[in-house]
Amino acid sequence: RHARRQAAILEGAFSALCHGGHLLYSTCSTEPEENQDVVGAFLEKHPSARMERQGATFPQPHPGDCFYWALIRHG
């Protein structure tokens, strides 16, 4: 359910991006279906999109929030 919404948000944000611009996709999840899968499907659909970097944080060794991020460039 969240993955569909996240994919739609990513599509909308990228459509507003100028050629050469950057978009930072970020979620407060470490689930691949909400992160790498969404970004991977998006990159396959948009040949002009380039992954520049990606990363994730995990709450270990201390409890806390975790998140995923991907820096995507248009062009």
Side-chain angles (χ1 to χ4, degrees):
R1 179 182 87 191
H2 294 300
R4 274 186 272 127
R5 181 181 308 139
Q6 290 159 331
I9 291 169
L10 182 54
E11 288 283 345
F14 190 77
S15 71
L17 197 62
C18 294
H19 184 78
H22 287 84
L23 181 139
L24 182 64
Y25 174 81
S26 178
T27 69
C28 57
S29 168
T30 57
E31 299 298 323
E33 61 269 11
E34 295 181 39
N35 299 314
Q36 294 93 335
D37 294 353
V38 169
V39 172
F42 175 81
L43 293 172
E44 286 180 17
K45 186 177 176 183
H46 296 278
S48 65
R50 302 279 185 260
M51 168 82 76
E52 295 228 329
R53 285 184 256 171
Q54 66 179 331
T57 64
F58 297 93
Q60 299 167 355
H62 307 288
D65 291 333
C66 51
F67 72 95
Y68 168 86
W69 61 269
L71 183 63
I72 299 169
R73 182 175 188 269
H74 188 301

